[in-house]
Amino acid sequence: MGHLDARTTTTRRLRRGMALVASTALLGLSACGAGDEAGTGDGGAQEPATATEEQSGEEQPSDDAGSGDDAETGDDQATDDQDEAGDDEGAGGQEEGDPGGADERTRILLVTDLGIDETSGDGAPTLAGDDLAALLAGPFGGTAECTDELLVERGQSAGCVGPTSPDDTAPKQEWVANTVAVPHADGLENGYRVAVLFSTGTELPEEVSELTEGNVMLTGLGQGSMFGAEPLDAEEAADATLQTLTSENAYVPVAGMADWSEVTCEDGLDFDEFGTTDCTATTAEGNSWQLHVAPGPFADGDQGLLVGIGSPTDV
C-alpha cells in the first residue's frame, strides 16, 4: 500500500505540471492572436509609399502649375511690375531731349570800368572784340570770344561766348553785351557815363528793356547768396531797393547823391523771372524818383537787385 500511494502522488504531480505548461502555452497563443488582429485588417492597411515620396517627403506639383520654364514666380512678377512702373514714370516725368532741370535763369554782369576814355577823340569810342571779351572773362578768370566790336554809346549790343560760371571757365556760354548808362560820378543831375551789361543768351529779355532806354541809369547790389531764393513781396522789394540806394558797396554808389528816405513798389519780384517792377523813391527833401527794379542774378557775386534810376520828371 505504501508503494501505491507514492505512485499516485507522483502521477498527480505530473498531471499538474503538464496542465500548467498547457495553460501557459494557451495564454501565449491568445496574446499572439490578438496582436495579429490589431496590426492587420482592412481598417489598418496602408498603401506602400512611392519612391519619390520616400525620397523627398514633399508633395509634388501638379501639371496645372506649369513647368519651371513657363511658370513665373510671384517675386519675378512683382519685380517685372516694378520695372515697368519705373520705366513709365521716368518716361512721363521727362521727355526725350529734356535737359532735366537745367538752370535757365538769366545771369548778368554789370561792368562799369571799361578801361577807355570816353571824352577823347571825335564821336563814340569803340571796344574791339578782344577788349570786350576781356571784360567778360575777367570776373571768371577764364576766356571769352567776341567776334564784333561794340560801339560805346547807348542802345548798342554785341554777341559773345564766355564762361558759364567761376567753376566752369570754358568759353561755351552765349552772352550778349548791351551798352547802358550808369550815374555820373558828379551826381544824378550831371548826366551819365556808359557801362556794359552782359546777360546770358543771345539778347536782353524784353521784360527788362526799360533798363536800357530813356534816361535810366543803373546801379545794383549783391545782397547774399540766398537772397531771392523765395519771391519777394512788394514791401520786401522796397526795403531791398532802399538798401541798394543807400549802400556804399553798390556797383555804382548813389548814397551820397540824394538823401534817400523811402521806397515803395507796386509789385514784388520773382527771381525765376528776369523782369522789372516799378517803384518810387522819395528823398528827405520831398523829391521823387521813378525806379525800374529787376532781380540781380549777378554771375560774379551774390544775388541782389539791379536798379534803374529815372529822374524827378519821370514821376
Side-chain angles (χ1 to χ4, degrees):
M1 289 295 291
H3 293 290
L4 180 59
D5 292 337
R7 288 196 297 269
T8 301
T9 301
T10 301
T11 300
R12 288 176 179 172
R13 289 177 178 173
L14 290 173
R15 288 177 179 175
R16 288 176 182 173
M18 293 177 64
L20 181 60
V21 171
S23 297
T24 302
L26 288 173
L27 289 173
L29 290 173
S30 297
C32 291
D36 292 340
E37 289 177 1
T40 61
D42 295 339
Q46 297 181 354
E47 292 290 336
T50 65
T52 303
E53 291 173 345
E54 289 176 354
Q55 292 174 1
S56 65
E58 297 178 358
E59 184 178 354
Q60 300 300 309
S62 66
D63 293 339
D64 293 340
S67 65
D69 294 335
D70 296 335
E72 187 172 18
T73 66
D75 291 342
D76 292 339
Q77 181 66 43
T79 302
D80 292 343
D81 291 343
Q82 291 174 358
D83 291 341
E84 291 175 5
D87 293 340
D88 292 341
E89 183 178 354
Q94 179 176 332
E95 296 181 359
E96 185 176 356
D98 187 357
D103 186 3
E104 297 296 334
R105 287 185 178 183
T106 299
R107 283 161 292 148
I108 61 174
L109 288 172
L110 180 59
V111 181
T112 60
D113 184 3
L114 304 184
I116 59 175
D117 184 1
E118 299 178 35
T119 62
S120 62
D122 296 331
T126 59
L127 276 171
D130 290 344
D131 295 333
L132 185 61
L135 293 179
L136 173 58
F140 300 107
T143 58
E145 299 175 1
C146 301
T147 56
D148 298 325
E149 64 180 18
L150 180 66
L151 186 63
V152 184
E153 65 178 12
R154 297 180 67 171
Q156 302 299 310
S157 64
C160 300
V161 177
T164 301
S165 70
D167 297 325
D168 187 0
T169 59
K172 57 185 179 181
Q173 170 67 54
E174 287 187 312
W175 293 81
V176 59
N178 285 272
T179 51
V180 294
V182 296
H184 196 280
D186 294 334
L188 296 172
E189 294 87 356
N190 294 303
Y192 65 89
R193 54 194 176 94
V194 177
V196 174
L197 177 65
F198 290 98
S199 62
T200 53
T202 57
E203 61 182 3
L204 190 68
E206 180 67 25
E207 291 79 6
V208 294
S209 60
E210 293 171 312
L211 300 178
T212 64
E213 297 174 352
N215 57 353
V216 175
M217 297 173 286
L218 299 185
T219 186
L221 177 68
Q223 303 198 28
S225 60
M226 295 304 296
F227 181 79
E230 298 293 335
L232 305 180
D233 60 27
E235 183 176 353
E236 291 170 330
D239 290 343
T241 302
L242 182 59
Q243 183 179 353
T244 302
L245 296 176
T246 57
S247 174
E248 294 294 340
N249 296 318
Y251 280 86
V252 181
V254 295
M257 297 183 184
D259 189 4
W260 311 103
S261 60
E262 183 181 9
V263 173
T264 58
C265 293
E266 295 181 2
D267 296 299
L269 287 172
D270 187 343
F271 276 62
D272 286 335
E273 302 173 0
F274 191 42
T276 62
T277 186
D278 290 335
C279 302
T280 301
T282 304
T283 67
E285 295 79 15
N287 296 325
S288 296
W289 297 74
Q290 182 70 39
L291 307 177
H292 305 289
V293 181
F298 299 108
D300 58 341
D302 291 338
Q303 291 198 132
L305 292 183
L306 185 63
V307 178
I309 306 171
S311 69
T313 58
D314 289 336
V315 180

